[in-house]
């Protein structure tokens, strides 16, 4: 089993969809766990600076090689709500989780949609055949947020050795 923590705004994670598919086709179980890599991004997002240089050129080549369109979004979205929804779907409708995740990556990296916008999230959840009323309830009562924190907890712990001074675990 491979654990793959991802954020919908991460271009490496976007391209990893293709690589994870290769692993899965070879019989390796990949568990997709949402993880907010930039919790400091405020509601409404931030304007993205220019994406230039070798790293971005390589990402563009890798996306093209994987058959994925890559249009750099003009804004960096806050993704906490979208990731909470992803974890809620993973736990309540696992057969629909992959479809929802692909839709969210496409919405961001192809269509440039704001993943912090609840309407965008709900629209893609509905298209993935998710019960939007139940989803709203899970967001309202805190279940989705709690499950996201649980999914993030192992990723925030150091793999080896003691935790650095001043650090804390989430969850």
């Amino acid at each position: 089993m491979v654990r793959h923590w991802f954020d919908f705004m991460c271009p490496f994670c976007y391209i990893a969809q293709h690589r994870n598919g290769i692993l899965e086709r070879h019989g390796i179980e990949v568990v997709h766990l949402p993880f907010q890599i930039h919790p400091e991004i405020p509601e409404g997002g931030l304007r993205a600076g220019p994406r230039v240089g070798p790293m971005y050129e390589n990402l563009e080549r890798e996306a093209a090689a994987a058959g994925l369109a890559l249009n750099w979004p003009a804004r960096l979205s806050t993704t906490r709500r979208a990731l909470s929804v992803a974890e809620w779907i993973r736990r309540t409708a696992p057969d629909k989780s992959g479809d929802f995740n692909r839709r969210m990556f496409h919405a961001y990296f192809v269509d440039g949609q704001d993943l912090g916008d609840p309407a965008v999230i709900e629209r893609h959840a509905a298209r993935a055949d998710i019960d939007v009323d139940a989803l709203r309830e899970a967001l309202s009562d805190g279940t989705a947020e709690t499950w996201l924190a649980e999914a993030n907890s192992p990723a925030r712990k150091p793999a080896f050795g003691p935790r650095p001074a001043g650090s804390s675990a989430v969850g």
Side-chain angles (χ1 to χ4, degrees), residues 6 8 14 17 32-34 82-83 85-87 89-90 96-107 124 128:
F6 68 91
F8 293 124
Y14 174 59
Q17 295 176 100
H32 303 274
L33 299 165
L83 294 169
V85 169
E87 181 61 10
I89 292 171
R90 185 181 77 84
K96 298 173 184 176
S97 181
D99 183 30
F100 175 76
N101 292 348
R102 282 186 295 279
R103 288 174 184 280
M104 295 304 289
F105 276 120
H106 189 276
H124 291 290

Side-chain angles (χ1 to χ4, degrees), residues 109-163:
F109 284 106
V110 178
D111 299 332
Q113 295 177 12
D114 178 7
L115 300 185
D117 182 346
V120 168
I121 298 166
E122 286 185 11
R123 181 172 59 251
H124 291 290
R127 289 178 180 163
D129 198 29
I130 300 302
D131 180 342
V132 176
D133 290 331
L135 170 60
R136 286 181 188 136
E137 179 64 29
L139 288 166
S140 176
D141 71 13
T143 300
E145 180 83 20
T146 298
W147 287 354
L148 176 63
E150 289 173 5
N152 281 211
S153 183
R156 294 202 184 274
K157 294 177 184 171
F160 302 100
R163 188 175 312 284

Side-chain angles (χ1 to χ4, degrees), residues 39-63:
E40 73 279 3
I41 295 176
E43 291 298 320
L46 295 171
R47 184 182 144 317
R51 274 95 164 212
V52 295
M55 180 182 72
Y56 294 102
E57 292 164 6
N58 187 51
L59 284 165
E60 290 166 0
R61 273 193 306 276
E62 291 294 320

Side-chain angles (χ1 to χ4, degrees), residues 4-25:
H4 173 237
W5 278 278
F6 68 91
D7 192 330
F8 293 124
M9 67 167 299
C10 171
F12 298 97
C13 301
Y14 174 59
I15 295 166
Q17 295 176 100
H18 177 261
R19 303 227 166 94
N20 289 336
I22 294 169
L23 294 173
E24 291 167 339
R25 284 191 297 279

